[in-house]
Amino acid sequence: MSASREKKQRVSSGKPASAAQPAGKSNVMKWVIGAVCIVLCLVFATASLLLSSSWPHNHITAATIGDYKLTASDLNYYYKRAYASMAESLGEYSNTMINFFTESIMDQTVAYAQESYVGYFAALEEGYTLTEEEKADLDETLEAFDSTSQIMGFKNAVEYLEYVYGKGCNPENYREYNEVGMLAQRYFDDKLNAYVPDQAAKDAYYAEHIDEVDLLNYRQFFISVDEESGMTLEKAKAEGERMRAEAEKDLSTFTKNAYELAPEDRKTAYEKDSGSPLSGVKPSLMTEEYVDPAVAAWLKDSARKEGDTATFVKTGDTGVYVLYFLSRDKHDYTSRNIRMIQIAVNTETGTEEDWTSAQEEAQSYLDEYLAGEKTPEAFGAIASKHTDDGVEGGLHENVGNADIVYAVNQWLYDDARKVGDAELVKASDGWYVALYCGEGERYWDVKMDAVMDEKYYNQLLEELKEKYPAEGFSRGQKYVTTTSNIDYSGNSSGISYM
């Protein structure tokens, strides 16, 4: 056959010249394809196994603090802190809304981790180590994990830690989490204890940041424009002016008029005197987003004095504000000291029986105190025996006039209060056994010490953050457990966590 005819036959067959196959080539290709399929199956099987295990949670970098790498399991501990904080801020909307804030919670998670690790690194640089007591406490906790976990229905410590914190958590990284936190806390505490701002520094800072320190107390009522009910803007102005003028002569009329003018669905808020006062409002937080600019300017004016009144039309002409100024709290008074024991009652689900039981328990502690030596130390011993709130002997020193639950604060700052008074106090969140222990320091100094400590701490933290910058990595962060088995609003599961 000629070359031209051979070429023609190859063309007519529809195959290129290179398609001619050596003997046995098709069998080789089948083997190769089969081998590739087996390899791919093994790869997918391995990937599936890894994803179902905790390997990626403990090996893929989710964040770095300086050069130090953190995995998803490391971040799980800090994520639960951030999650709990967000849940608390959302309150009753937590269960339905918290999933919308996953990104914000993750950002806060990295911030929490950075705060702990930069303090830890600084502590190591200065030669800090865990004390023998700290080591013993941590060892004891970890050794007891398996047995206590089984008592609570878990197979072992790993299952318990994964339930509370997330996938990949185990006794080893739990130990690191605690060691880092302990050393960082001790480092920062030592720095703050060594920092003592002088009076001149406090005075200068106060003068420059007065609106961040002082608190405003005032009464406010808003008359909404509602055409359907006949409350036009002009009528709202007239009612507001009448209410203002009457309050100027007699403050008691403020709540009475507020009750009469309030919509039916809000009247219960003004049945008692608690409906209209606004207490402890920080001027620096009165931004346009939250407070009408004209109202904020009037309230923050340094010329304001008790008894001043005013009305303002809200921006947009949607209603009228009626205001009565009570005071600007400059914290210039003597604080007080108190020992107390709380018998808590759930504010949402507490029954009459729960309240009665709490009162009886509180009475038994008070009776125990009155039957004994009736000294602060004796009360402290009772508090330590019956409570575990982290406050040694139930002692709260240098308490301001708005620092603790309202009812107890009112009892503490009653003009008739004298050292040694011991009574039961019913508050919004339970019953309290309270013991008045005398006066503390001038509250302005207490407040300014706290403000200056915070300022110093933030400066120190920022310096350390610059030295050890943080960076998050989505590839590793996707393995962080972003759901929670714990009800952080009340920890109703009974599971303990740090």
Side-chain angles (χ1 to χ4, degrees):
M1 183 182 295
S2 67
S4 61
R5 186 176 178 184
E6 183 182 2
K7 179 179 180 182
K8 187 176 180 180
Q9 283 186 336
R10 286 200 295 261
V11 171
S12 66
S13 71
K15 296 180 181 179
S18 60
Q21 298 289 339
K25 183 69 178 285
S26 60
N27 292 331
V28 173
M29 288 302 295
K30 288 179 182 178
W31 183 89
V32 170
I33 291 171
V36 170
C37 289
I38 292 173
V39 171
L40 288 175
C41 287
L42 288 172
V43 169
F44 286 125
T46 302
S48 177
L49 180 63
L50 289 176
L51 289 175
S52 64
S53 72
S54 59
W55 187 92
H57 306 77
N58 286 316
H59 290 82
I60 298 177
T61 301
T64 55
I65 312 295
D67 295 329
Y68 194 82
K69 297 178 180 179
L70 300 177
T71 63
S73 59
D74 295 322
L75 287 187
N76 275 337
Y77 299 105
Y78 301 98
Y79 191 92
K80 291 304 176 288
R81 281 179 56 194
Y83 185 100
S85 178
M86 179 63 74
E88 183 179 357
S89 66
L90 292 174
E92 61 182 301
Y93 304 105
S94 173
N95 291 337
T96 55
M97 296 291 294
I98 198 162
N99 289 335
F100 293 103
F101 296 92
T102 300
E103 186 175 344
S104 297
I105 297 173
M106 186 63 74
D107 290 340
Q108 187 59 53
T109 295
V110 176
Y112 279 152
Q114 184 183 24
E115 184 175 12
S116 286
Y117 273 91
V118 298
Y120 174 70
F121 296 149
L124 292 180
E125 288 180 0
E126 295 193 13
Y128 280 63
T129 58
L130 290 182
T131 65
E132 292 304 317
E133 183 179 358
E134 289 171 335
K135 290 179 183 177
D137 288 343
L138 191 51
D139 287 341
E140 184 179 345
T141 299
L142 291 170
E143 287 170 5
F145 255 152
D146 275 330
S147 58
T148 54
S149 297
Q150 290 171 18
I151 292 172
M152 290 186 288
F154 300 96
K155 293 179 181 178
N156 50 43
V158 172
E159 188 176 277
Y160 165 74
L161 288 169
E162 288 197 339
Y163 179 86
V164 177
Y165 293 106
K167 192 74 173 175
C169 292
N170 56 51
E172 289 71 31
N173 50 43
Y174 178 80
R175 174 185 283 277
E176 178 178 324
Y177 167 66
N178 280 276
E179 288 181 349
V180 169
M182 287 177 178
L183 284 187
Q185 186 67 58
R186 183 142 52 86
Y187 171 81
F188 285 126
D189 284 348
D190 287 350
K191 293 296 181 184
L192 286 172
N193 289 334
Y195 172 68
V196 182
D198 59 30
Q199 191 63 43
K202 289 193 284 189
D203 290 339
Y205 188 87
Y206 176 72
E208 293 177 9
H209 301 85
I210 188 170
D211 280 350
E212 297 174 18
V213 180
D214 288 356
L215 300 175
L216 300 178
N217 304 305
Y218 59 97
R219 290 178 182 265
Q220 172 183 293
F221 184 72
F222 182 66
I223 306 173
S224 298
V225 170
D226 183 3
E227 299 293 344
E228 290 185 7
S229 67
M231 184 60 73
T232 64
L233 180 60
E234 291 306 314
K235 186 175 181 181
K237 288 180 181 178
E239 290 288 4
E241 178 55 30
R242 177 185 66 82
M243 185 174 174
R244 182 206 65 77
E246 290 182 6
E248 192 172 45
K249 297 176 182 178
D250 182 2
L251 177 57
S252 66
T253 64
F254 197 101
T255 300
K256 177 179 73 68
N257 285 324
Y259 179 82
E260 292 175 356
L261 291 168
E264 288 300 323
D265 61 348
R266 292 186 57 210
K267 283 188 180 297
T268 54
Y270 298 95
E271 288 177 347
K272 297 181 179 180
D273 199 39
S274 59
S276 54
L278 291 169
S279 302
V281 180
K282 189 176 289 188
S284 61
L285 298 180
M286 294 179 125
T287 61
E288 189 173 338
E289 181 181 1
Y290 301 107
V291 182
D292 191 89
V295 171
W298 185 82
L299 288 168
K300 291 193 285 186
D301 189 334
S302 60
R304 278 293 70 73
K305 62 184 184 301
E306 182 179 1
D308 283 354
T309 59
T311 60
F312 292 95
V313 175
K314 184 179 181 180
T315 303
D317 295 341
T318 57
V320 174
Y321 288 103
V322 185
L323 301 168
Y324 186 102
F325 190 79
L326 294 171
S327 65
R328 186 177 186 111
D329 187 354
K330 294 179 175 291
H331 314 292
D332 192 14
Y333 60 90
T334 303
S335 64
R336 296 192 170 187
N337 303 325
I338 182 175
R339 287 183 187 265
M340 59 186 183
I341 304 170
Q342 180 195 12
I343 297 82
V345 178
N346 191 299
T347 56
E348 295 180 359
T349 62
T351 63
E352 184 176 346
E353 184 180 346
D354 293 331
W355 282 97
T356 300
S357 175
Q359 182 180 9
E360 291 173 352
E361 184 179 346
Q363 185 65 54
S364 70
Y365 299 155
L366 178 59
D367 291 344
E368 183 179 353
Y369 168 73
L370 295 175
E373 298 177 357
K374 292 192 287 190
T375 63
E377 293 73 23
F379 188 100
I382 296 170
S384 297
K385 180 170 65 174
H386 296 295
T387 62
D388 186 22
D389 58 4
V391 180
E392 187 174 351
L395 177 61
H396 299 260
E397 296 182 295
N398 302 316
V399 176
N401 59 19
D403 281 354
I404 52 180
V405 66
Y406 180 78
V408 181
N409 245 128
Q410 291 294 100
W411 179 87
L412 180 61
Y413 274 87
D414 189 319
D415 290 339
R417 193 64 48 231
K418 57 184 182 298
V419 176
D421 283 353
E423 297 178 15
L424 297 189
V425 181
K426 184 180 181 181
S428 60
D429 58 351
W431 279 91
Y432 288 78
V433 188
L435 173 69
Y436 178 47
C437 300
E439 294 184 335
E441 300 175 13
R442 179 191 178 210
Y443 195 65
W444 186 91
D445 290 314
V446 174
K447 188 75 174 178
M448 286 307 302
D449 283 343
V451 168
M452 297 299 284
D453 280 354
E454 183 179 5
K455 174 174 174 283
Y456 172 73
Y457 176 82
N458 288 335
Q459 288 177 342
L460 176 60
L461 185 60
E462 286 306 310
E463 291 173 4
L464 292 173
K465 283 182 176 181
E466 288 183 13
K467 186 175 182 180
Y468 303 104
E471 184 176 2
F473 300 95
S474 58
R475 179 171 176 264
Q477 287 180 358
K478 69 182 179 181
Y479 295 109
V480 173
T481 302
T482 57
T483 56
S484 176
N485 293 314
I486 305 298
D487 177 8
Y488 282 94
S489 61
N491 194 22
S492 60
S493 68
I495 301 296
S496 62
Y497 51 90
M498 294 184 71

